[in-house]
Amino acid sequence: MASSGAAPAEADEVVREFGPLLRVYKSGRVERPLVAPPVAPGLDAATGVDSRDVHLGDYSVRLYLPPSAAAAAEGGKKLPVVVYIHGGGFVAESAASPSYHRFLNTLAAACPALGVSVEYRLAPEHPLPAAYDDCLAALRWTLSAADPCVAAHGDLARVFVAGDSAGANICHHLAAHPDVLAANGGGARRTLKGAALIHPWFWGSEAVGEETRDPAARAMGAGLWFYACPETSGMDDPRMNPMAPGAPGLDTLACDRVLVCAAEGDFLRWRGRAYAEAVAAARGGQEGVELLETMGEGHVFYLFKPDCDKAKEMLDKMVAFVNAP
């Protein structure tokens, strides 16, 4: 991600660093040390899923078509659609990252489902709300069935949004967005069949569960958010804290069902659990809201250890969620 050419020593001074996700130099050069080189779309030998990229201006999507799609189409059936939004703190990762490409191949084959993985613009080059805007545009594009593959194979009555970390944050934003709420044309059916939030990145000024109560530590936990979203009102910005006073009502989410995945070793665990409980309370009970808590694992572990038993358990949960009536 570094710019080409040598830079003076002074210009190469690191001025901002956020763990392995992002390193910003005085010269303006940006590095993303954790991000692996992108992989090209195409036929996946392990799953038989075929993928291709569709460029749509500021953003693009990578479509994943499982091998069962052809037989389904011959039988007059279409597949559920999963619009997936990758994580990376709004500043890193890509739909073309090896870990996400592998996961989408696996998920598309296992459901089976038509996968739509969104390649959105990243901060700091494109501060928020660019990522939100791109993902909203991608969801609108999907719902329009403008692409022949989506039109032929996607069941638009069974559209799901799913994502991890910052991507899960964006999923909530989409499910709460007025345009998505109105996309059903005023009918009784909600626009989305479901939303799956994996280890969602939410935060707030007040601690929930066993989160740290120390104000300085809480401010540090939100540091990347402030950097990615310079226009934010703070830690209780409804985009970062959907349970904050004044945030859109959780009872109006444009999805029939909600799945929240949390991990025991993730500092965001308590926030994810609180979100699931708040959505259930807003809907008058637990019906339509599921919480999967994975013991002994950390944040987005399934991307780093895709073959472990707990990753398979989470995949099975997502497959059941997508295929539930």
Side-chain angles (χ1 to χ4, degrees), residues 259-307:
L259 168 65
V260 179
C261 299
E264 182 184 24
D266 185 1
F267 82 102
L268 297 173
R269 172 192 183 187
W270 304 105
R271 192 66 49 169
R273 178 191 280 187
Y275 175 83
E277 292 172 349
V279 173
R283 294 190 166 202
Q286 295 293 329
E287 185 175 354
V289 181
E290 301 177 54
L291 174 64
L292 173 66
E293 293 190 87
T294 302
M295 299 295 105
E297 298 292 351
H299 191 62
V300 297
F301 70 93
Y302 68 100
L303 296 174
F304 306 114
K305 300 189 292 182
D307 295 320

mmCIF file of all heavy atoms in Angstrom, residues 259-307:
data_model
loop_
_atom_site.group_PDB
_atom_site.id
_atom_site.type_symbol
_atom_site.label_atom_id
_atom_site.label_comp_id
_atom_site.label_asym_id
_atom_site.label_seq_id
_atom_site.Cartn_x
_atom_site.Cartn_y
_atom_site.Cartn_z
ATOM 1 N N LEU A 259 -29.056 -12.430 13.515
ATOM 2 C CA LEU A 259 -28.105 -13.336 14.151
ATOM 3 C C LEU A 259 -26.888 -12.520 14.564
ATOM 4 O O LEU A 259 -26.321 -11.807 13.747
ATOM 5 C CB LEU A 259 -27.680 -14.446 13.184
ATOM 6 C CG LEU A 259 -26.481 -15.312 13.607
ATOM 7 C CD1 LEU A 259 -26.808 -16.123 14.856
ATOM 8 C CD2 LEU A 259 -26.044 -16.233 12.462
ATOM 9 N N VAL A 260 -26.513 -12.621 15.825
ATOM 10 C CA VAL A 260 -25.310 -11.960 16.327
ATOM 11 C C VAL A 260 -24.347 -13.028 16.804
ATOM 12 O O VAL A 260 -24.718 -13.917 17.586
ATOM 13 C CB VAL A 260 -25.624 -10.984 17.481
ATOM 14 C CG1 VAL A 260 -24.340 -10.329 17.985
ATOM 15 C CG2 VAL A 260 -26.623 -9.925 17.043
ATOM 16 N N CYS A 261 -23.112 -12.973 16.318
ATOM 17 C CA CYS A 261 -22.067 -13.900 16.767
ATOM 18 C C CYS A 261 -21.070 -13.135 17.629
ATOM 19 O O CYS A 261 -20.650 -12.026 17.265
ATOM 20 C CB CYS A 261 -21.345 -14.516 15.575
ATOM 21 S SG CYS A 261 -22.407 -15.495 14.481
ATOM 22 N N ALA A 262 -20.713 -13.693 18.762
ATOM 23 C CA ALA A 262 -19.740 -13.092 19.674
ATOM 24 C C ALA A 262 -18.690 -14.147 20.020
ATOM 25 O O ALA A 262 -18.920 -15.348 19.865
ATOM 26 C CB ALA A 262 -20.429 -12.583 20.940
ATOM 27 N N ALA A 263 -17.529 -13.698 20.472
ATOM 28 C CA ALA A 263 -16.442 -14.610 20.835
ATOM 29 C C ALA A 263 -15.939 -14.271 22.232
ATOM 30 O O ALA A 263 -15.768 -13.093 22.578
ATOM 31 C CB ALA A 263 -15.301 -14.527 19.825
ATOM 32 N N GLU A 264 -15.685 -15.299 23.017
ATOM 33 C CA GLU A 264 -15.308 -15.113 24.425
ATOM 34 C C GLU A 264 -14.077 -14.235 24.589
ATOM 35 O O GLU A 264 -14.015 -13.391 25.491
ATOM 36 C CB GLU A 264 -15.051 -16.477 25.063
ATOM 37 C CG GLU A 264 -14.693 -16.409 26.537
ATOM 38 C CD GLU A 264 -14.339 -17.774 27.114
ATOM 39 O OE1 GLU A 264 -13.940 -18.670 26.346
ATOM 40 O OE2 GLU A 264 -14.449 -17.932 28.347
ATOM 41 N N GLY A 265 -13.089 -14.392 23.712
ATOM 42 C CA GLY A 265 -11.845 -13.651 23.858
ATOM 43 C C GLY A 265 -11.826 -12.308 23.163
ATOM 44 O O GLY A 265 -10.759 -11.689 23.062
ATOM 45 N N ASP A 266 -12.964 -11.832 22.697
ATOM 46 C CA ASP A 266 -13.069 -10.574 21.968
ATOM 47 C C ASP A 266 -13.529 -9.473 22.926
ATOM 48 O O ASP A 266 -14.553 -9.634 23.604
ATOM 49 C CB ASP A 266 -14.072 -10.753 20.828
ATOM 50 C CG ASP A 266 -14.190 -9.553 19.913
ATOM 51 O OD1 ASP A 266 -13.469 -8.550 20.129
ATOM 52 O OD2 ASP A 266 -15.008 -9.609 18.982
ATOM 53 N N PHE A 267 -12.822 -8.343 22.965
ATOM 54 C CA PHE A 267 -13.243 -7.269 23.862
ATOM 55 C C PHE A 267 -14.578 -6.662 23.434
ATOM 56 O O PHE A 267 -15.228 -5.953 24.212
ATOM 57 C CB PHE A 267 -12.155 -6.192 23.972
ATOM 58 C CG PHE A 267 -12.133 -5.189 22.848
ATOM 59 C CD1 PHE A 267 -12.658 -3.919 23.013
ATOM 60 C CD2 PHE A 267 -11.584 -5.522 21.615
ATOM 61 C CE1 PHE A 267 -12.635 -2.987 21.984
ATOM 62 C CE2 PHE A 267 -11.539 -4.605 20.588
ATOM 63 C CZ PHE A 267 -12.077 -3.330 20.765
ATOM 64 N N LEU A 268 -15.029 -6.962 22.222
ATOM 65 C CA LEU A 268 -16.326 -6.491 21.745
ATOM 66 C C LEU A 268 -17.465 -7.448 22.109
ATOM 67 O O LEU A 268 -18.622 -7.182 21.769
ATOM 68 C CB LEU A 268 -16.283 -6.313 20.220
ATOM 69 C CG LEU A 268 -15.300 -5.270 19.689
ATOM 70 C CD1 LEU A 268 -15.253 -5.323 18.170
ATOM 71 C CD2 LEU A 268 -15.677 -3.873 20.165
ATOM 72 N N ARG A 269 -17.131 -8.525 22.801
ATOM 73 C CA ARG A 269 -18.128 -9.550 23.119
ATOM 74 C C ARG A 269 -19.352 -8.978 23.830
ATOM 75 O O ARG A 269 -20.497 -9.271 23.471
ATOM 76 C CB ARG A 269 -17.487 -10.624 23.995
ATOM 77 C CG ARG A 269 -18.459 -11.643 24.556
ATOM 78 C CD ARG A 269 -17.806 -12.486 25.634
ATOM 79 N NE ARG A 269 -18.697 -13.512 26.137
ATOM 80 C CZ ARG A 269 -18.422 -14.298 27.179
ATOM 81 N NH1 ARG A 269 -17.254 -14.177 27.802
ATOM 82 N NH2 ARG A 269 -19.286 -15.208 27.574
ATOM 83 N N TRP A 270 -19.117 -8.154 24.829
ATOM 84 C CA TRP A 270 -20.220 -7.650 25.651
ATOM 85 C C TRP A 270 -21.111 -6.698 24.867
ATOM 86 O O TRP A 270 -22.323 -6.661 25.069
ATOM 87 C CB TRP A 270 -19.668 -6.977 26.911
ATOM 88 C CG TRP A 270 -18.795 -7.908 27.672
ATOM 89 C CD1 TRP A 270 -17.433 -7.910 27.746
ATOM 90 C CD2 TRP A 270 -19.227 -9.047 28.421
ATOM 91 N NE1 TRP A 270 -16.990 -8.961 28.501
ATOM 92 C CE2 TRP A 270 -18.071 -9.681 28.938
ATOM 93 C CE3 TRP A 270 -20.479 -9.587 28.725
ATOM 94 C CZ2 TRP A 270 -18.127 -10.811 29.724
ATOM 95 C CZ3 TRP A 270 -20.538 -10.727 29.506
ATOM 96 C CH2 TRP A 270 -19.373 -11.328 29.997
ATOM 97 N N ARG A 271 -20.510 -5.960 23.972
ATOM 98 C CA ARG A 271 -21.274 -5.041 23.141
ATOM 99 C C ARG A 271 -22.176 -5.828 22.180
ATOM 100 O O ARG A 271 -23.327 -5.464 21.962
ATOM 101 C CB ARG A 271 -20.301 -4.143 22.378
ATOM 102 C CG ARG A 271 -20.889 -2.967 21.691
ATOM 103 C CD ARG A 271 -21.488 -1.904 22.555
ATOM 104 N NE ARG A 271 -20.694 -1.426 23.656
ATOM 105 C CZ ARG A 271 -21.012 -0.343 24.366
ATOM 106 N NH1 ARG A 271 -22.077 0.388 24.060
ATOM 107 N NH2 ARG A 271 -20.270 0.026 25.385
ATOM 108 N N GLY A 272 -21.652 -6.921 21.613
ATOM 109 C CA GLY A 272 -22.465 -7.751 20.727
ATOM 110 C C GLY A 272 -23.631 -8.382 21.454
ATOM 111 O O GLY A 272 -24.765 -8.415 20.943
ATOM 112 N N ARG A 273 -23.364 -8.885 22.651
ATOM 113 C CA ARG A 273 -24.441 -9.483 23.436
ATOM 114 C C ARG A 273 -25.502 -8.445 23.790
ATOM 115 O O ARG A 273 -26.711 -8.710 23.688
ATOM 116 C CB ARG A 273 -23.875 -10.110 24.707
ATOM 117 C CG ARG A 273 -24.949 -10.701 25.605
ATOM 118 C CD ARG A 273 -24.395 -11.065 26.982
ATOM 119 N NE ARG A 273 -23.682 -12.334 26.967
ATOM 120 C CZ ARG A 273 -23.220 -12.922 28.083
ATOM 121 N NH1 ARG A 273 -23.384 -12.329 29.247
ATOM 122 N NH2 ARG A 273 -22.588 -14.083 28.004
ATOM 123 N N ALA A 274 -25.055 -7.248 24.198
ATOM 124 C CA ALA A 274 -25.999 -6.190 24.555
ATOM 125 C C ALA A 274 -26.852 -5.796 23.357
ATOM 126 O O ALA A 274 -28.052 -5.512 23.499
ATOM 127 C CB ALA A 274 -25.244 -4.977 25.104
ATOM 128 N N TYR A 275 -26.237 -5.763 22.178
ATOM 129 C CA TYR A 275 -26.985 -5.423 20.969
ATOM 130 C C TYR A 275 -28.074 -6.467 20.702
ATOM 131 O O TYR A 275 -29.234 -6.114 20.422
ATOM 132 C CB TYR A 275 -26.037 -5.325 19.778
ATOM 133 C CG TYR A 275 -26.715 -5.102 18.455
ATOM 134 C CD1 TYR A 275 -27.100 -3.827 18.043
ATOM 135 C CD2 TYR A 275 -26.977 -6.166 17.596
ATOM 136 C CE1 TYR A 275 -27.735 -3.620 16.822
ATOM 137 C CE2 TYR A 275 -27.606 -5.972 16.373
ATOM 138 C CZ TYR A 275 -27.974 -4.697 15.995
ATOM 139 O OH TYR A 275 -28.599 -4.503 14.780
ATOM 140 N N ALA A 276 -27.724 -7.742 20.793
ATOM 141 C CA ALA A 276 -28.703 -8.805 20.561
ATOM 142 C C ALA A 276 -29.853 -8.696 21.559
ATOM 143 O O ALA A 276 -31.034 -8.836 21.184
ATOM 144 C CB ALA A 276 -28.031 -10.178 20.666
ATOM 145 N N GLU A 277 -29.530 -8.441 22.818
ATOM 146 C CA GLU A 277 -30.560 -8.315 23.839
ATOM 147 C C GLU A 277 -31.441 -7.095 23.590
ATOM 148 O O GLU A 277 -32.666 -7.145 23.778
ATOM 149 C CB GLU A 277 -29.916 -8.237 25.224
ATOM 150 C CG GLU A 277 -29.236 -9.541 25.647
ATOM 151 C CD GLU A 277 -28.426 -9.396 26.929
ATOM 152 O OE1 GLU A 277 -28.227 -8.244 27.378
ATOM 153 O OE2 GLU A 277 -27.980 -10.429 27.468
ATOM 154 N N ALA A 278 -30.834 -5.996 23.138
ATOM 155 C CA ALA A 278 -31.592 -4.778 22.877
ATOM 156 C C ALA A 278 -32.535 -4.956 21.689
ATOM 157 O O ALA A 278 -33.678 -4.480 21.711
ATOM 158 C CB ALA A 278 -30.641 -3.607 22.629
ATOM 159 N N VAL A 279 -32.077 -5.641 20.651
ATOM 160 C CA VAL A 279 -32.943 -5.894 19.491
ATOM 161 C C VAL A 279 -34.104 -6.793 19.894
ATOM 162 O O VAL A 279 -35.263 -6.541 19.525
ATOM 163 C CB VAL A 279 -32.143 -6.518 18.327
ATOM 164 C CG1 VAL A 279 -33.089 -6.925 17.190
ATOM 165 C CG2 VAL A 279 -31.099 -5.549 17.803
ATOM 166 N N ALA A 280 -33.802 -7.836 20.674
ATOM 167 C CA ALA A 280 -34.863 -8.728 21.129
ATOM 168 C C ALA A 280 -35.887 -7.977 21.977
ATOM 169 O O ALA A 280 -37.102 -8.145 21.801
ATOM 170 C CB ALA A 280 -34.261 -9.887 21.930
ATOM 171 N N ALA A 281 -35.414 -7.119 22.881
ATOM 172 C CA ALA A 281 -36.327 -6.347 23.722
ATOM 173 C C ALA A 281 -37.180 -5.399 22.892
ATOM 174 O O ALA A 281 -38.381 -5.240 23.139
ATOM 175 C CB ALA A 281 -35.530 -5.573 24.768
ATOM 176 N N ALA A 282 -36.553 -4.778 21.891
ATOM 177 C CA ALA A 282 -37.286 -3.837 21.038
ATOM 178 C C ALA A 282 -38.373 -4.537 20.238
ATOM 179 O O ALA A 282 -39.390 -3.944 19.888
ATOM 180 C CB ALA A 282 -36.322 -3.117 20.098
ATOM 181 N N ARG A 283 -38.154 -5.830 19.954
ATOM 182 C CA ARG A 283 -39.122 -6.605 19.173
ATOM 183 C C ARG A 283 -40.109 -7.353 20.062
ATOM 184 O O ARG A 283 -40.922 -8.132 19.554
ATOM 185 C CB ARG A 283 -38.382 -7.586 18.261
ATOM 186 C CG ARG A 283 -37.563 -6.874 17.185
ATOM 187 C CD ARG A 283 -37.029 -7.828 16.147
ATOM 188 N NE ARG A 283 -36.557 -7.102 14.982
ATOM 189 C CZ ARG A 283 -36.419 -7.630 13.767
ATOM 190 N NH1 ARG A 283 -36.712 -8.891 13.569
ATOM 191 N NH2 ARG A 283 -36.000 -6.902 12.757
ATOM 192 N N GLY A 284 -40.003 -7.147 21.357
ATOM 193 C CA GLY A 284 -40.965 -7.753 22.264
ATOM 194 C C GLY A 284 -40.657 -9.181 22.661
ATOM 195 O O GLY A 284 -41.539 -9.912 23.101
ATOM 196 N N GLY A 285 -39.420 -9.600 22.525
ATOM 197 C CA GLY A 285 -39.052 -10.956 22.922
ATOM 198 C C GLY A 285 -37.919 -11.499 22.090
ATOM 199 O O GLY A 285 -37.372 -10.819 21.229
ATOM 200 N N GLN A 286 -37.567 -12.765 22.324
ATOM 201 C CA GLN A 286 -36.417 -13.374 21.672
ATOM 202 C C GLN A 286 -36.706 -13.868 20.253
ATOM 203 O O GLN A 286 -35.779 -14.204 19.517
ATOM 204 C CB GLN A 286 -35.914 -14.561 22.516
ATOM 205 C CG GLN A 286 -35.362 -14.162 23.870
ATOM 206 C CD GLN A 286 -34.080 -13.352 23.752
ATOM 207 O OE1 GLN A 286 -33.303 -13.525 22.833
ATOM 208 N NE2 GLN A 286 -33.872 -12.431 24.686
ATOM 209 N N GLU A 287 -37.961 -13.951 19.857
ATOM 210 C CA GLU A 287 -38.295 -14.505 18.550
ATOM 211 C C GLU A 287 -37.628 -13.702 17.429
ATOM 212 O O GLU A 287 -37.752 -12.481 17.367
ATOM 213 C CB GLU A 287 -39.811 -14.511 18.345
ATOM 214 C CG GLU A 287 -40.235 -15.194 17.063
ATOM 215 C CD GLU A 287 -41.742 -15.293 16.922
ATOM 216 O OE1 GLU A 287 -42.456 -14.934 17.882
ATOM 217 O OE2 GLU A 287 -42.196 -15.724 15.855
ATOM 218 N N GLY A 288 -36.936 -14.407 16.557
ATOM 219 C CA GLY A 288 -36.293 -13.752 15.426
ATOM 220 C C GLY A 288 -34.921 -13.203 15.717
ATOM 221 O O GLY A 288 -34.280 -12.640 14.829
ATOM 222 N N VAL A 289 -34.408 -13.366 16.945
ATOM 223 C CA VAL A 289 -33.080 -12.882 17.315
ATOM 224 C C VAL A 289 -32.282 -14.043 17.896
ATOM 225 O O VAL A 289 -32.723 -14.691 18.847
ATOM 226 C CB VAL A 289 -33.153 -11.725 18.334
ATOM 227 C CG1 VAL A 289 -31.747 -11.232 18.674
ATOM 228 C CG2 VAL A 289 -34.004 -10.581 17.803
ATOM 229 N N GLU A 290 -31.120 -14.316 17.330
ATOM 230 C CA GLU A 290 -30.279 -15.412 17.783
ATOM 231 C C GLU A 290 -28.903 -14.876 18.173
ATOM 232 O O GLU A 290 -28.387 -13.953 17.546
ATOM 233 C CB GLU A 290 -30.115 -16.458 16.682
ATOM 234 C CG GLU A 290 -31.419 -17.072 16.205
ATOM 235 C CD GLU A 290 -31.213 -18.043 15.063
ATOM 236 O OE1 GLU A 290 -30.397 -18.980 15.231
ATOM 237 O OE2 GLU A 290 -31.831 -17.859 13.997
ATOM 238 N N LEU A 291 -28.338 -15.486 19.199
ATOM 239 C CA LEU A 291 -26.990 -15.114 19.661
ATOM 240 C C LEU A 291 -26.152 -16.376 19.753
ATOM 241 O O LEU A 291 -26.520 -17.334 20.433
ATOM 242 C CB LEU A 291 -27.070 -14.436 21.035
ATOM 243 C CG LEU A 291 -25.728 -14.122 21.717
ATOM 244 C CD1 LEU A 291 -24.921 -13.116 20.909
ATOM 245 C CD2 LEU A 291 -25.955 -13.614 23.142
ATOM 246 N N LEU A 292 -25.024 -16.380 19.045
ATOM 247 C CA LEU A 292 -24.063 -17.470 19.131
ATOM 248 C C LEU A 292 -22.806 -16.936 19.801
ATOM 249 O O LEU A 292 -22.142 -16.047 19.267
ATOM 250 C CB LEU A 292 -23.723 -18.012 17.739
ATOM 251 C CG LEU A 292 -22.588 -19.047 17.691
ATOM 252 C CD1 LEU A 292 -22.994 -20.330 18.411
ATOM 253 C CD2 LEU A 292 -22.168 -19.341 16.255
ATOM 254 N N GLU A 293 -22.476 -17.481 20.963
ATOM 255 C CA GLU A 293 -21.258 -17.092 21.668
ATOM 256 C C GLU A 293 -20.267 -18.251 21.589
ATOM 257 O O GLU A 293 -20.543 -19.350 22.057
ATOM 258 C CB GLU A 293 -21.569 -16.748 23.125
ATOM 259 C CG GLU A 293 -22.428 -15.498 23.267
ATOM 260 C CD GLU A 293 -22.534 -15.024 24.705
ATOM 261 O OE1 GLU A 293 -21.669 -14.257 25.152
ATOM 262 O OE2 GLU A 293 -23.487 -15.441 25.387
ATOM 263 N N THR A 294 -19.110 -17.981 20.987
ATOM 264 C CA THR A 294 -18.085 -19.004 20.805
ATOM 265 C C THR A 294 -17.067 -18.904 21.931
ATOM 266 O O THR A 294 -16.408 -17.873 22.097
ATOM 267 C CB THR A 294 -17.379 -18.833 19.449
ATOM 268 O OG1 THR A 294 -18.357 -18.892 18.405
ATOM 269 C CG2 THR A 294 -16.352 -19.921 19.240
ATOM 270 N N MET A 295 -16.942 -19.958 22.693
ATOM 271 C CA MET A 295 -16.012 -19.972 23.812
ATOM 272 C C MET A 295 -14.590 -20.284 23.329
ATOM 273 O O MET A 295 -14.387 -21.051 22.389
ATOM 274 C CB MET A 295 -16.442 -21.015 24.845
ATOM 275 C CG MET A 295 -17.814 -20.753 25.456
ATOM 276 S SD MET A 295 -17.869 -19.216 26.448
ATOM 277 C CE MET A 295 -18.772 -18.139 25.337
ATOM 278 N N GLY A 296 -13.613 -19.663 23.988
ATOM 279 C CA GLY A 296 -12.216 -19.996 23.740
ATOM 280 C C GLY A 296 -11.616 -19.419 22.472
ATOM 281 O O GLY A 296 -10.503 -19.799 22.102
ATOM 282 N N GLU A 297 -12.330 -18.507 21.815
ATOM 283 C CA GLU A 297 -11.818 -17.923 20.574
ATOM 284 C C GLU A 297 -11.889 -16.399 20.645
ATOM 285 O O GLU A 297 -12.579 -15.840 21.492
ATOM 286 C CB GLU A 297 -12.616 -18.421 19.367
ATOM 287 C CG GLU A 297 -12.542 -19.930 19.143
ATOM 288 C CD GLU A 297 -11.159 -20.407 18.724
ATOM 289 O OE1 GLU A 297 -10.283 -19.568 18.438
ATOM 290 O OE2 GLU A 297 -10.953 -21.637 18.677
ATOM 291 N N GLY A 298 -11.154 -15.755 19.724
ATOM 292 C CA GLY A 298 -11.074 -14.305 19.711
ATOM 293 C C GLY A 298 -11.745 -13.692 18.499
ATOM 294 O O GLY A 298 -12.454 -14.360 17.740
ATOM 295 N N HIS A 299 -11.467 -12.421 18.311
ATOM 296 C CA HIS A 299 -12.107 -11.632 17.263
ATOM 297 C C HIS A 299 -11.824 -12.226 15.878
ATOM 298 O O HIS A 299 -10.682 -12.505 15.530
ATOM 299 C CB HIS A 299 -11.579 -10.187 17.345
ATOM 300 C CG HIS A 299 -12.331 -9.207 16.516
ATOM 301 N ND1 HIS A 299 -13.658 -8.934 16.709
ATOM 302 C CD2 HIS A 299 -11.932 -8.423 15.477
ATOM 303 C CE1 HIS A 299 -14.054 -8.011 15.853
ATOM 304 N NE2 HIS A 299 -13.028 -7.686 15.075
ATOM 305 N N VAL A 300 -12.860 -12.427 15.095
ATOM 306 C CA VAL A 300 -12.840 -12.971 13.730
ATOM 307 C C VAL A 300 -11.919 -14.183 13.598
ATOM 308 O O VAL A 300 -11.227 -14.351 12.603
ATOM 309 C CB VAL A 300 -12.510 -11.889 12.672
ATOM 310 C CG1 VAL A 300 -13.598 -10.827 12.665
ATOM 311 C CG2 VAL A 300 -11.166 -11.226 12.847
ATOM 312 N N PHE A 301 -11.938 -15.046 14.581
ATOM 313 C CA PHE A 301 -11.081 -16.236 14.585
ATOM 314 C C PHE A 301 -11.315 -17.107 13.363
ATOM 315 O O PHE A 301 -10.395 -17.778 12.873
ATOM 316 C CB PHE A 301 -11.340 -17.060 15.856
ATOM 317 C CG PHE A 301 -12.689 -17.735 15.860
ATOM 318 C CD1 PHE A 301 -12.825 -19.042 15.390
ATOM 319 C CD2 PHE A 301 -13.824 -17.076 16.308
ATOM 320 C CE1 PHE A 301 -14.062 -19.666 15.373
ATOM 321 C CE2 PHE A 301 -15.067 -17.690 16.288
ATOM 322 C CZ PHE A 301 -15.189 -18.991 15.817
ATOM 323 N N TYR A 302 -12.546 -17.133 12.850
ATOM 324 C CA TYR A 302 -12.900 -18.034 11.749
ATOM 325 C C TYR A 302 -12.162 -17.689 10.460
ATOM 326 O O TYR A 302 -12.034 -18.538 9.568
ATOM 327 C CB TYR A 302 -14.418 -17.997 11.506
ATOM 328 C CG TYR A 302 -14.915 -16.675 10.967
ATOM 329 C CD1 TYR A 302 -15.173 -16.508 9.608
ATOM 330 C CD2 TYR A 302 -15.109 -15.582 11.814
ATOM 331 C CE1 TYR A 302 -15.614 -15.291 9.112
ATOM 332 C CE2 TYR A 302 -15.542 -14.380 11.329
ATOM 333 C CZ TYR A 302 -15.802 -14.232 9.980
ATOM 334 O OH TYR A 302 -16.225 -13.016 9.484
ATOM 335 N N LEU A 303 -11.674 -16.445 10.350
ATOM 336 C CA LEU A 303 -10.891 -16.057 9.179
ATOM 337 C C LEU A 303 -9.461 -16.574 9.264
ATOM 338 O O LEU A 303 -8.835 -16.872 8.246
ATOM 339 C CB LEU A 303 -10.873 -14.535 9.028
ATOM 340 C CG LEU A 303 -12.215 -13.863 8.750
ATOM 341 C CD1 LEU A 303 -12.063 -12.347 8.782
ATOM 342 C CD2 LEU A 303 -12.796 -14.317 7.414
ATOM 343 N N PHE A 304 -8.938 -16.672 10.483
ATOM 344 C CA PHE A 304 -7.559 -17.109 10.691
ATOM 345 C C PHE A 304 -7.447 -18.619 10.869
ATOM 346 O O PHE A 304 -6.402 -19.215 10.587
ATOM 347 C CB PHE A 304 -6.957 -16.399 11.903
ATOM 348 C CG PHE A 304 -7.053 -14.895 11.831
ATOM 349 C CD1 PHE A 304 -7.838 -14.182 12.722
ATOM 350 C CD2 PHE A 304 -6.379 -14.195 10.843
ATOM 351 C CE1 PHE A 304 -7.933 -12.799 12.647
ATOM 352 C CE2 PHE A 304 -6.469 -12.814 10.760
ATOM 353 C CZ PHE A 304 -7.246 -12.116 11.659
ATOM 354 N N LYS A 305 -8.531 -19.233 11.361
ATOM 355 C CA LYS A 305 -8.540 -20.678 11.603
ATOM 356 C C LYS A 305 -9.795 -21.288 10.975
ATOM 357 O O LYS A 305 -10.655 -21.816 11.692
ATOM 358 C CB LYS A 305 -8.486 -20.961 13.107
ATOM 359 C CG LYS A 305 -7.247 -20.410 13.803
ATOM 360 C CD LYS A 305 -7.145 -20.913 15.240
ATOM 361 C CE LYS A 305 -8.242 -20.345 16.121
ATOM 362 N NZ LYS A 305 -8.114 -20.800 17.530
ATOM 363 N N PRO A 306 -9.918 -21.208 9.664
ATOM 364 C CA PRO A 306 -11.175 -21.614 9.015
ATOM 365 C C PRO A 306 -11.506 -23.092 9.140
ATOM 366 O O PRO A 306 -12.673 -23.472 8.961
ATOM 367 C CB PRO A 306 -10.951 -21.231 7.547
ATOM 368 C CG PRO A 306 -9.459 -21.227 7.368
ATOM 369 C CD PRO A 306 -8.909 -20.748 8.683
ATOM 370 N N ASP A 307 -10.520 -23.921 9.454
ATOM 371 C CA ASP A 307 -10.760 -25.362 9.528
ATOM 372 C C ASP A 307 -10.982 -25.872 10.946
ATOM 373 O O ASP A 307 -11.188 -27.083 11.149
ATOM 374 C CB ASP A 307 -9.590 -26.125 8.893
ATOM 375 C CG ASP A 307 -9.462 -25.849 7.405
ATOM 376 O OD1 ASP A 307 -10.506 -25.769 6.727
ATOM 377 O OD2 ASP A 307 -8.325 -25.698 6.916
#
